[in-house]
Amino acid sequence: MAHLLKFMVNKNQNQNQNLTNIKFLVRFIHRKPSKQQKPPPVPPPKPPNPPQKPVSFSHHDETWEDPYSWMTNLDDKVAMRHMDVYMEQEEKYTEAVMSDTERIQNRLQAEMAVRINSHLSSVPMKWGPWLYYRRVEEGKQYQVLCRRSVKLNEEFISNSSPSAGFDFTAGKRIEQKLLDYNQEAERFGGYAYEELSEISPDHRFLAHTMYDKENDCFKLSVRDLSSSSLFKKPEVDRVAGLAWGRDGKSLFYTVTDSNKRPYRIFRSVIGENENDVLVMEESDENAYLSIRHTKDFQFVTVNVSSVTFSKVYLINAADPLSVMKLVYECEPHVNCIIEHHRGHLYVFTNAVKDGQPADSHYLLSCTVEASDSRKWENVFLDDPEFVLEDVDYNDTHLILILREGREFKICAVPLPLASKGAVRLKELNPTFLPLPKYVCQISPGPNYDYYSSTVQFTVSSPVMPDAVVDYNLADGKWFIVQQQNVLQEGTRTLYGATSVSVNTEKLRRSQSIHLSNEVHSEDDHLWNDLSEFYACERYDVASHDGVLVPLTIVYSRKYRQDGLNPGLLHGHGAYGELLDKRWRSELKSLLDRGWVIAYADVRGGGGKGTKWHLDGRRTKKQNGINDYISCAKFLLYKEIVHQSRLGAWGYSAGGLLVASAINMQPDLFRAAVLKVPFLDATNTLLYPILPLMPSDYEEFGDPEDVEDFRAIRKYSPYDNIQKDTLYPAVLVTSSLNTRFGVWEAAKWAARVRDHVIYDPKRPILLNLTVDVVEENKYLQCKESALETAFLIKMMMDS
């Protein structure tokens, strides 16, 4: 009984235990999950902190300190070791900040690579009996310079593959290789960068200069084109200019001094052992020499530019040892380009006209005989309807590139001119080429063949890829020989003399039309115009002083949303140069993601004539900066761009413009890209490490002049960084091979971080690029992808 009772008790205990276990399981299943502790966020990478070694400077009774001047001590080995460490830290910091954009960078790079012009050959250039062109061989980095006979198998000449064909009579390829730049790279330490290239008028020799990286100069070589062999002489370092004599054997070249100032002109006779003859030497350290031959090879022109005058001399190219003759003289810092046509000289200049500053270029003429007394006459009467932007010549015509307001035009006038004395352009019955809308630039091609009836030029627009056009002056017909097809991510290249393709020949016939004096909009379809997909709008924006500043915007019609789009504002404003508003394939990646691309033609640039340039340089440099700020405010006020999603972009002197605008109003911008920028104006102009030209001081100011110095101190980006203020995110790209040294970007980045409020979402990044990026399309895509990814990332984090 006791045993049974004990069993019953144990059984009840077991049941109670089981019941307890079941209740526990039920409670476990239905209980609320406890909050799991998230891992602590990864701290943002810390920016580099280079050492500060303040040095005091004084000028014009003003004293200032520069904590990072040690970065410019290139001869100090300790300082340069510190600089190497600092550059490595900057590289790692940029990689860390941008590490989460690797996928978008790869995608952007793939997009941009597809858009690179797919043609492997440049457009062939006809000169005499030859077609010259450059092409890329598969698997090679650098181009090959080639030529082929114009007459041989003419019916098969293709602008896309000019090397195609075989000479069955001679039993060899039609193409003749003149210079393989891949082999030149082996001569110059793996780097092939050519600055000058001139073929002799008899097509026997090639004179060219290659960059010698080890000696930091351009080396002249002359090559026999029949054998591709190099002549032993001349082989000269520090060559800055070339010009052939008419005999095809006399070669003139300029040599620079240790400060890279062209100061000597020599004449060499190719194939002879005699020493080269010194033709001219300029001892004035503020004077610079330049040379060129006229297009008909009748004369070699010598330009002498100094801080007090500009002069042009002529050398008879048929008698290279003859005495130089002074034919034109004017004030300093102006353009003077002389050409010759059948006994008449023409000078294209913007010198003082009738005692008054000229607001644009104009054309003068006189006979060669009268040039001794320098009796120059105006070719055209002043016409408020147009501005003369550029000129070109051949044996039968004068080609004029004009601007009416913002519209560019091109026309031809027969030579010799029918009337004597100045006339209005319309009296010469010019013929105009019909152009698409929004043309922002027309650039003459090489046009070496002075006696050819066809001239070549490139038409550019913000909403159209560059179009290379052949214009036949004899019959007034034209056709596009090369233009990228963006929608198909390819390149449209039309055929030459006759076509083996029916469709291509039909397209060419549709584009060959007679010129008229009017530009017809219905002709737009003949161009690869993208305005159906991308809109281009133009505005006039009132600046701080009421002056109207041209502003151009481009956007995708598909993605435009008022007040919501991110935007990127470009600016330059220096040297009287036109702002580059051409279609750029890398910007398509931003446009197709809803970005607005804007261009501000601020004072200091070349958007509206000489006065526009003068009103934005030296003591008036601040005008261009204020113009840029006004355009930025306009984009935000008109809700063209989202209030907190405006980016800024500036290259070289444009980097100074953007950085100065950021200093004045950092709250306007969310991000900025500064490419090889000029940032330390005070120290660079006072204590130049790399040689500066007189034009640099004319542009940014001479610090020896008190008023100029005060203006420099006011606008210099490095000296005017605000303290305890939130700055936009900035990506600064620089290179060891640039006019403005990498130390400028490094100093600026370090000082900005010292002064402004630190925000990891608004980093200041420094990206040091390799110095061969301009020669490598892959590296171009990689750099553009990084910049684009940076802008996208910063706008997403806003």
Side-chain angles (χ1 to χ4, degrees), residues 640-753:
I640 297 171
V641 173
H642 188 279
Q643 291 290 328
S644 61
R645 303 180 76 187
L646 177 61
W649 195 95
Y651 172 78
S652 190
L656 179 145
L657 173 78
V658 171
S660 297
I662 290 173
N663 282 343
M664 291 182 65
Q665 292 205 235
D667 57 311
L668 281 178
F669 308 97
R670 178 61 184 84
V673 174
L674 309 179
K675 291 179 68 70
V676 290
F678 179 31
L679 298 170
D680 189 9
T682 301
N683 292 308
T684 296
L685 293 169
L686 262 177
Y687 314 108
I689 297 172
L690 300 176
L692 296 178
M693 303 284 286
S695 58
D696 297 321
Y697 292 104
E698 281 297 309
E699 184 62 38
F700 299 105
D702 182 354
E704 298 305 324
D705 181 280
V706 176
E707 295 303 317
D708 278 4
F709 176 73
R710 290 173 180 167
I712 294 166
R713 292 290 294 162
K714 184 177 179 181
Y715 74 71
S716 175
Y718 182 68
D719 300 304
N720 292 280
I721 299 165
Q722 294 191 32
K723 292 185 177 181
D724 302 322
T725 304
L726 193 63
Y727 262 44
V730 182
L731 173 63
V732 190
T733 67
S734 191
S735 167
L736 295 173
N737 186 28
T738 176
R739 284 189 65 223
F740 305 118
V742 67
W743 51 85
E744 293 218 5
K747 290 173 62 178
W748 184 86
R751 201 169 201 180
V752 170
R753 295 185 190 124

Side-chain angles (χ1 to χ4, degrees), residues 539-551 600-603 608 612 615-616 620-634 657 664-665:
Y539 299 92
D540 289 312
V541 178
S543 191
H544 68 292
D545 54 1
V547 172
L548 297 181
V549 182
L551 176 68
D601 277 299
V602 305
R603 279 173 280 187
K608 296 176 71 174
W612 191 255
D615 285 345
K620 298 180 180 180
K621 201 69 184 170
Q622 196 66 42
N623 282 338
I625 300 166
N626 288 328
D627 292 349
Y628 187 81
I629 290 172
S630 297
C631 289
K633 290 180 177 179
F634 179 87
L657 173 78
M664 291 182 65
Q665 292 205 235

